[in-house]
Amino acid sequence: MEHITLLVGVVIITALVFDFTNGFHDTANAMATTISTGALSPKVAVAMSAILNLVGAFLSVEVAKAISGGIIDESAGLQPEVIFAALVGAILWNLLTWLLGLPSSSSHALFGGLIGATLMAVGTSGVNAGAVMSKVLLPAIAAPIVAGLAAWAATRLTYRINRNADEKVSGKGYRAGQIASAGLVSLAHGTNDAQKTMGVITLTLITVGALAPGSNPPTWVITSAGVAIALGTYLGGWRIIRTMGKGLTDIRPPQGFAAQTSAATVILASSNLGFSLSTTQVCSGSVMGAGLGRKGGTVRWSTAGRMAAAWGLTLPAAGLVAAAAEFLARQGDWGVIAVGAILVAGAGSMYLISRRKPVDASNVTADDLDAPATAAAAPACPAAQIVTVPAQGGPHGAPALTPIAGGAPATAGDAGSEPAATAV
Amino acid sequence: MKIDWAALGTVAGVSLVVTIALVGMFTLGISALSAATAAGRNGTSRLPARLGAYAAFAACTAGVGFGIYLIAS
């Protein structure tokens, strides 16, 4: 009994660690365009986002319930070690994509992990295919398209109405609007992503019988998940912020405003109905839509293509890592310890690699090093950005992103885990 | 396999309408503010335009607040 309690404790801590990586992986969603247009300074932006994430975590539990009661069949004899394996897969994939500056979906990493580990542990009976289809896969495809469409239409509309407006007044107004809409995205992120961790912890508590099946997450679970995601958000995933804010398209304040409003609306509407969609994909979709909505606006399709590839890969890759972790973990206590060691080693080595070329608040908009990060710098020539960025070694722009195929196995090798290598 | 098309459709429809309405309303507010500035420059009263702008921003805030209320309740 004591052993189970210890394992459950480890699973809960691992879930909170995942939540933390989720937070810093996704800061970009809310704040990338706000930071890149200079509406808020990087530090203020992440602090605001963190607080609103925490608030959002308390708003709704629909998504948490979809995880603990929908996608995985909790009566299939799931063990905490399965969830542990799932979380290890999700965290390792999250860190790898963060290292590469790719805005992949933390949610899909988690679902991939859960599905992979469950399939390995109890077979296809443990996964509710219908729920996976209707609550994960379909929203995953539909949401970015809807968000993109809405952002595109809203951008066109706003440029049309305001074509004669006083530039000084509208510049100031849109920047205020951007701050407000970025806040909404953060709030939405809390209602959707913090829920996922709550769902996982609740699922764990249900599998060991500490909670009745179908229970709502207890308050301490909601609080700890909210705090973990807020801390992660405050830390800021500067690498991904760079990709989102600068790599995809040039975003001006009206576009940033339209993109964030669209993303926040889609996420909040989905949270309310229990669709646990990927906030990352929604935000990328809306940024692209807003990029195309402005006359003369372009989207860097090569970056978009790499992001789409990472999206497609996330679910199966995290699933494979988790399945391998589960294979190891089910061998007994030493297996669980080995998986934990792999997690620590993998996370540690990726952190060390990231220190070689750090991206932080000071150089997150480094393309603008020559000019202050204001709207005046926003219409910087894209070609110039592409030239300067790789020179600064950022994980953004064409050369830096390509290692997704080539560089990943090396990272996995450092981690000493063949699972990660298989995954890529 | 049961797929809740109605819920998916609702999210899509609501998102499109709400986004366009919010952004449109906010933009009208900015237009009005800009008009108020222009009116001030011409020496005419800037009050009507300014009131319009505040009404538009208030409508945005109310819309967002109602949305959050729907989710939280």
Side-chain angles (χ1 to χ4, degrees):
Chain A
M1 190 64 207
E2 196 179 87
H3 170 71
I4 292 179
T5 318
L6 179 66
L7 186 55
V8 169
V10 169
V11 171
I12 291 172
I13 291 168
T14 316
L16 292 174
V17 169
F18 169 78
D19 205 19
F20 179 80
T21 66
N22 193 163
F24 77 72
H25 213 279
D26 289 6
T27 318
N29 296 339
M31 291 302 166
T33 54
T34 315
I35 293 172
S36 70
T37 60
L40 278 180
S41 78
K43 289 269 182 194
V44 176
V46 293
M48 177 179 133
S49 181
I51 292 167
L52 286 165
N53 258 293
L54 184 59
V55 174
F58 286 91
L59 279 184
S60 161
V61 289
E62 289 304 317
V63 174
K65 284 202 292 199
I67 291 180
S68 66
I71 289 156
I72 303 295
D73 187 352
E74 21 186 55
S75 59
L78 222 52
Q79 294 300 316
E81 127 242 328
V82 178
I83 299 169
F84 180 59
L87 288 166
V88 169
I91 294 174
L92 286 177
W93 181 255
N94 246 0
L95 286 175
L96 182 64
T97 49
W98 161 73
L99 191 64
L100 299 173
L102 281 178
S104 75
S105 163
S106 307
S107 322
H108 285 193
L110 180 61
F111 292 135
L114 275 175
I115 293 169
T118 307
L119 283 178
M120 175 59 85
V122 292
T124 49
S125 66
V127 179
N128 186 346
V132 170
M133 192 51 133
S134 79
K135 297 243 163 176
V136 181
L137 290 182
L138 272 178
I141 297 166
I145 297 175
V146 171
L149 212 62
W152 173 82
T155 306
R156 297 216 33 163
L157 180 74
T158 199
Y159 271 101
R160 191 168 181 91
I161 296 177
N162 253 7
R163 58 177 183 267
N164 297 325
D166 185 280
E167 245 174 65
K168 223 168 119 195
V169 174
S170 66
K172 217 171 123 196
Y174 280 121
R175 237 164 281 158
Q178 244 197 316
I179 295 170
S181 60
L184 270 186
V185 176
S186 301
L187 193 76
H189 189 257
T191 64
N192 209 286
D193 276 29
Q195 303 291 319
K196 288 161 192 153
T197 303
M198 288 176 214
V200 168
I201 298 178
T202 309
L203 183 62
T204 313
L205 294 172
I206 290 173
T207 58
V208 296
L211 280 177
S215 307
N216 279 346
T219 313
W220 66 266
V221 173
I222 299 179
T223 313
S224 55
V227 168
I229 206 163
L231 280 177
T233 305
Y234 183 67
L235 206 73
W238 304 111
R239 289 168 177 270
I240 301 170
I241 292 178
R242 280 183 64 139
T243 307
M244 290 278 283
K246 291 283 177 189
L248 260 185
T249 175
D250 291 317
I251 290 286
R252 297 181 189 176
Q255 293 169 291
F257 170 64
Q260 287 164 339
T261 307
S262 144
T265 313
V266 171
I267 298 167
L268 284 171
S270 309
S271 295
N272 199 27
L273 289 171
F275 292 122
S276 52
L277 45 74
S278 158
T279 43
T280 308
Q281 296 179 357
V282 170
C283 293
S284 314
S286 68
V287 165
M288 277 189 252
L292 288 174
R294 173 167 61 90
K295 248 193 200 137
T298 52
V299 167
R300 258 158 246 146
W301 292 108
S302 56
T303 307
R306 271 190 297 274
M307 277 173 45
W311 293 358
L313 265 178
T314 295
L315 208 110
L320 275 173
V321 180
E326 162 59 13
F327 181 76
L328 202 57
R330 70 192 308 186
Q331 310 298 323
D333 289 352
W334 67 267
V336 175
I337 294 168
V339 171
I342 288 172
L343 173 64
V344 172
S349 53
M350 281 190 249
Y351 176 75
L352 287 179
I353 293 170
S354 81
R355 297 315 297 165
R356 284 191 212 148
K357 293 171 183 169
V359 177
D360 56 28
S362 61
N363 62 352
V364 65
T365 53
D367 326 12
D368 299 330
L369 270 185
D370 305 334
T374 60
C381 158
Q385 290 176 7
I386 286 164
V387 174
T388 51
V389 167
Q392 285 151 4
H396 138 73
L401 279 179
T402 33
I404 184 163
T411 317
D414 287 354
S417 68
E418 66 273 75
T422 339
V424 181
Chain B
M1 196 179 297
K2 203 175 114 269
I3 292 169
D4 196 347
W5 292 109
L8 275 174
T10 310
V11 171
V14 165
S15 303
L16 272 173
V17 171
V18 170
T19 304
I20 293 171
L22 274 181
V23 173
M25 190 53 79
F26 189 84
T27 308
L28 287 176
I30 289 180
S31 281
L33 269 192
S34 160
T37 315
R41 228 180 278 130
N42 302 338
T44 48
S45 166
R46 55 174 94 180
L47 190 66
R50 195 159 267 190
L51 281 181
Y54 291 150
F57 292 137
C60 287
T61 316
V64 170
F66 181 63
I68 292 174
Y69 164 77
L70 279 185
I71 288 163
S73 61

